[in-house]
């Protein structure tokens, strides 16, 4: 695989990509009991939901979307690391349906361990992803840190009425996922030196694919809710949608889109510590079929970096939404299941049940 640097970035950090996020249960404990933020009527989306970005109304026609995302290396190639981190950060803007307008770089680097040329390549990769999105990196902030960290604070613009949230799904909505699963498994294989060139290419292709389709989906009234799947895995982010909407959900195991190499590795027993921590955080809210395989449970909890958009849409428009994904280059996009009235939980169906 491509790597112009003799330094393996993944050896300089204790975690990588969205897999190094604080586990959902731990994060909940940290946030529990904090004072409620100032009640600003112009704040359309804040931290009262688990949405991807904050949304602030400027006037009747425009709202600004703000988000930040950063992490430690998920790959060893510095340019690729920068591209993945920036693509991942911009996904939070697209998940609201907004158009990105600019970004600021968040940079923490161990200056005593990384040559300037390597750090420059990380920043160049981030700039390349932003250029592909049609925006500039207009500044940022840097510190000397013990582990390499890179990401963006990103801003976007949207019409307030077109903003998509993760807590507005409706009973009967069809669930559609834009990208295949398995990035955490591929990342783990890379760190162990077990990922081949084809697997690395799969990983890079999906993690650097901008979720620009979110801007088009924002124009569809039939899209009731939208989020992106990242470090908490498919189950974790779907549960956020369920809790916010006061609904349950059903998922069909056979419908899950999975990266080919990740599928093979998972069936051979590969998993991640982050997937296990995710399950410990929210497994009590999930009903699994008796015949589920361990690798399938691992895929459901696998932490995604720069993952796909998860959409809840009216069933009569599901074909149109899926076609929109495909037309924007998300060929693996697939229907996963549906939102259900009743208990707030996710019920996973085996092939026999589905």
């Amino acid at each position: 695989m491509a790597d112009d640097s003799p330094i393996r970035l993944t050896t300089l950090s204790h975690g990588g990509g969205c897999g190094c996020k604080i586990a959902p249960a731990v994060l909940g404990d940290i946030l529990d009991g904090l004072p409620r933020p100032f009640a600003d009527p112009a704040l359309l989306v804040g931290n009262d939901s688990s949405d991807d970005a904050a949304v602030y109304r400027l006037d009747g026609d425009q709202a600004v979307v703000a988000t930040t995302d950063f992490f430690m290396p998920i790959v060893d190639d510095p340019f690729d690391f920068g591209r993945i981190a920036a693509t991942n950060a911009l996904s939070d803007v697209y998940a609201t349906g907004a158009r990105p307008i600019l970004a600021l770089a968040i940079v923490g680097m161990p200056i005593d361990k990384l040559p300037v040329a390597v750090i420059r390549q990380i920043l160049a990769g981030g700039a390349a992803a932003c250029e592909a999105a049609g925006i500039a990196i207009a500044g940022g902030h840097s510190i000397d840190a013990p582990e390499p960290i890179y990401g963006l604070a990103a801003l976007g613009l949207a019409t307030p009425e077109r903003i998509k949230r993760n807590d507005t799904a409706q009973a009967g909505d069809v669930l559609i996922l834009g990208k295949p699963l398995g990035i955490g498994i591929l990342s783990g294989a890379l760190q162990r030196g077990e990922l081949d060139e084809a697997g690395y290419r799969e990983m890079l292709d999906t993690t650097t694919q901008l979720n620009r389709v979110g801007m088009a989906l924002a124009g569809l009234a039939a899209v009731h809710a939208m989020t992106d799947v990242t470090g908490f895995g498919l189950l974790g982010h779907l549960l956020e949608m369920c809790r916010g909407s006061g609904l349950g959900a059903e998922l069909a195991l056979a419908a899950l889109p999975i990266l080919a190499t990740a599928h093979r590795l998972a069936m051979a027993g590969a998993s991640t510590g982050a997937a296990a921590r995710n399950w410990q955080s929210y497994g009590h809210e999930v009903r699994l079929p008796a015949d589920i395989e361990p690798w399938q449970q691992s895929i459901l909890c696998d932490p995604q970096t720069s993952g796909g958009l998860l959409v809840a849409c009216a069933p009569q428009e599901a074909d149109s939404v899926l076609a929109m994904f495909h037309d924007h280059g998300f060929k693996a996009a697939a229907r996963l299941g549906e939102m259900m009235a009743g208990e707030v939980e996710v019920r996973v169906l085996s092939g026999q049940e589905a």
Side-chain angles (χ1 to χ4, degrees):
M1 67 190 64
D3 187 357
D4 297 328
S5 168
I7 299 174
R8 291 194 62 192
L9 291 178
T10 56
T11 66
L12 300 179
S13 60
H14 71 280
C18 289
C20 60
K21 291 177 73 169
I22 296 174
V26 177
L27 180 60
D29 287 342
I30 294 171
L31 298 178
D32 187 41
L34 285 177
R36 292 187 61 83
F38 169 71
D40 187 337
L43 185 63
L44 303 182
V45 180
N47 62 4
D48 52 331
S49 68
S50 299
D51 267 295
D52 302 288
V55 181
Y56 191 87
R57 183 190 294 272
L58 298 176
D59 53 37
D61 300 320
Q62 284 192 318
V64 64
V65 174
T67 186
T68 183
D69 210 312
F70 53 89
F71 47 62
M72 292 168 281
I74 188 174
V75 295
D76 292 315
D77 183 280
F79 188 82
D80 290 347
F81 169 41
R83 288 177 66 201
I84 294 169
T87 304
N88 177 76
L90 292 175
S91 183
D92 287 346
V93 176
Y94 291 128
T96 68
R99 173 179 61 86
I101 55 172
L102 65 85
L104 303 174
I106 299 168
V107 183
M109 296 291 157
I111 301 300
D112 60 334
K113 298 174 184 175
L114 286 181
V116 169
V118 172
I119 299 173
R120 184 182 296 123
Q121 279 296 298
I122 294 171
L123 271 60
C130 287
E131 183 175 357
I135 66 171
I137 294 182
H141 185 68
S142 61
I143 62 168
D144 186 352
E147 296 178 308
I149 296 170
Y150 180 72
L152 302 177
L155 297 177
L157 286 177
T159 302
E161 289 70 25
R162 287 169 54 120
I163 289 291
K164 300 300 181 182
R165 302 170 58 106
N166 74 347
D167 59 356
T168 48
Q170 299 179 16
D173 277 353
V174 171
L175 292 166
I176 296 175
L177 179 64
K179 290 185 182 183
L181 303 169
I183 292 301
I185 288 171
L186 296 186
S187 174
L190 174 67
Q191 293 182 36
R192 296 189 301 270
E194 300 172 358
L195 189 65
D196 60 19
E197 183 67 31
Y200 186 77
R201 180 50 52 186
E202 281 182 293
M203 181 180 180
L204 192 63
D205 286 348
T206 189
T207 55
T208 58
Q209 185 177 20
L210 292 162
N211 278 323
R212 277 185 287 215
V213 65
M215 294 187 292
L217 292 168
L220 300 181
V223 173
H224 297 145
M226 186 159 63
T227 188
D228 64 343
V229 177
T230 54
F232 297 159
L234 174 61
L235 284 180
H237 293 285
L238 177 55
L239 278 166
E240 289 178 338
M241 186 177 287
C242 289
R243 295 185 202 110
S245 305
L247 299 169
E250 286 187 347
L251 284 181
L253 278 176
L256 297 180
I258 306 171
L259 292 162
T261 302
H263 195 169
R264 174 175 56 80
L265 291 171
M267 292 184 69
S271 186
T272 67
R277 290 191 298 273
N278 282 341
W279 178 255
Q280 290 169 1
S281 294
Y282 52 63
H284 62 284
E285 298 177 271
V286 181
R287 293 171 58 192
L288 297 177
D291 59 348
I292 192 170
E293 298 286 343
W295 72 265
Q296 293 172 315
Q297 180 176 327
S298 179
I299 286 288
L300 287 167
C301 305
D302 189 55
Q304 303 306 289
T305 298
S306 193
L309 296 180
L310 178 63
V311 169
C313 68
Q316 65 270 22
E317 295 297 329
D319 287 343
S320 298
V321 171
L322 193 58
M324 184 172 288
F325 270 108
H326 293 162
D327 291 345
H328 280 77
F330 296 87
K331 302 305 181 185
R335 301 187 193 202
L336 303 184
E338 63 180 306
M339 301 297 294
M340 309 286 291
E343 188 173 352
V344 176
E345 64 175 11
V346 174
R347 182 177 178 225
V348 180
L349 307 178
S350 65
Q352 289 76 21
E353 292 175 293

